[in-house]
């Protein structure tokens, strides 16, 4: 990605890197980054960090996001703020479970009807989307005086933000791939100038 210098005002979303514990439903489970996950984030941010592109960092309070955000913010000399609304969705009884260990019928229902099927004890998708939408508005409010903030968060949160921006149905959110250390850039309107955020780039 190029630096934000050519853009009027923008925000970058960054998914955390690989977390300890392997591939599983990881929402409220607070696993740390693996060394490989940390290296993924270093690689994804190296160019813009060296250029001093970001003037504020916001993050999920989960350590797989916050630990890297704190180090990056200190390196850049910019404020770091953790926002609870940017947490990943809680998956209830599925927390820490690999997809292959779950009942096939339940897993199929989850993928085909994410709004209608909620894993036992999990945060309903509608509630999750509403929480993230509130968090996104909080990001917008906190960064009114900034030209280029960075948000370190989760794959589900990135999908929910893009879904809010683009008016996507629940089933469409799962069609957005957000791999580890994925970068998403959103152009922001100038404060008090009207207009809406728009998607510039998405991907590694």
């Amino acid at each position: 990605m190029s630096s934000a210098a050519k853009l009027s005002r923008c925000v970058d979303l960054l998914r955390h890197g690989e977390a300890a514990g392997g591939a599983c439903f990881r929402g409220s489970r607070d696993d740390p980054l693996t060394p490989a996950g940390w290296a993924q984030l270093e690689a994804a941010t190296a160019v813009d960090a060296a250029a001093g592109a970001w003037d504020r960092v916001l993050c999920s309070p989960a350590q797989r996001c916050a630990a890297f955000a704190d180090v990056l913010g200190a390196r850049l000399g910019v404020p770091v703020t953790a926002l609870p609304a940017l947490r990943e969705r809680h998956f209830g009884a599925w927390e820490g479970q690999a997809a292959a260990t779950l009942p096939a019928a339940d897993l199929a229902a989850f993928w085909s009807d994410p709004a209608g099927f909620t894993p036992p004890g999990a945060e309903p998708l509608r509630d999750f989307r509403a929480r993230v939408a509130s968090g996104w508005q909080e990001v917008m409010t906190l960064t009114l005086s900034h030209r280029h903030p960075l948000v370190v968060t989760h794959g589900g949160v990135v999908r929910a933000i893009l879904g809010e921006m683009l008016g996507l149905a629940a089933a469409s959110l799962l069609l957005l791939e957000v791999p580890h250390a994925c970068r998403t850039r959103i152009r922001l309107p100038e404060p008090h100038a009207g207009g809406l955020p728009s998607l510039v780039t998405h991907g590694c």
Side-chain angles (χ1 to χ4, degrees), residues 50-155:
W54 295 300
D55 55 3
R56 182 163 189 173
V57 178
L58 303 103
C59 65
S60 161
Q63 62 176 324
R64 59 191 183 273
C65 300
F68 182 80
D70 286 340
V71 169
L72 181 61
R75 185 185 305 162
L76 297 174
V78 302
V80 178
T81 304
L83 300 179
L86 298 180
R87 302 185 322 272
E88 182 60 282
R89 183 184 180 189
H90 173 57
F91 289 107
W94 287 14
E95 283 287 330
Q97 300 296 313
T101 67
L102 298 171
D106 288 352
L107 195 61
F110 176 79
W111 296 124
S112 63
D113 185 16
F117 179 86
T118 301
E123 181 179 16
L125 182 61
R126 181 172 60 182
D127 294 352
F128 171 66
R129 294 190 73 175
R131 167 166 65 79
V132 173
S134 175
W136 176 239
Q137 289 305 310
E138 192 173 3
V139 169
M140 295 296 94
T141 299
L142 290 173
T143 60
L144 281 174
S145 62
H146 296 81
R147 304 301 300 177
H148 192 184
L150 172 70
V151 178
V152 186
T153 187
H154 307 272

Side-chain angles (χ1 to χ4, degrees), residues 182-195:
C182 180
R183 291 269 304 269
T184 302
R185 178 161 290 172
I186 296 168
R187 191 190 312 272
L188 301 176
E190 293 293 335
H192 315 301

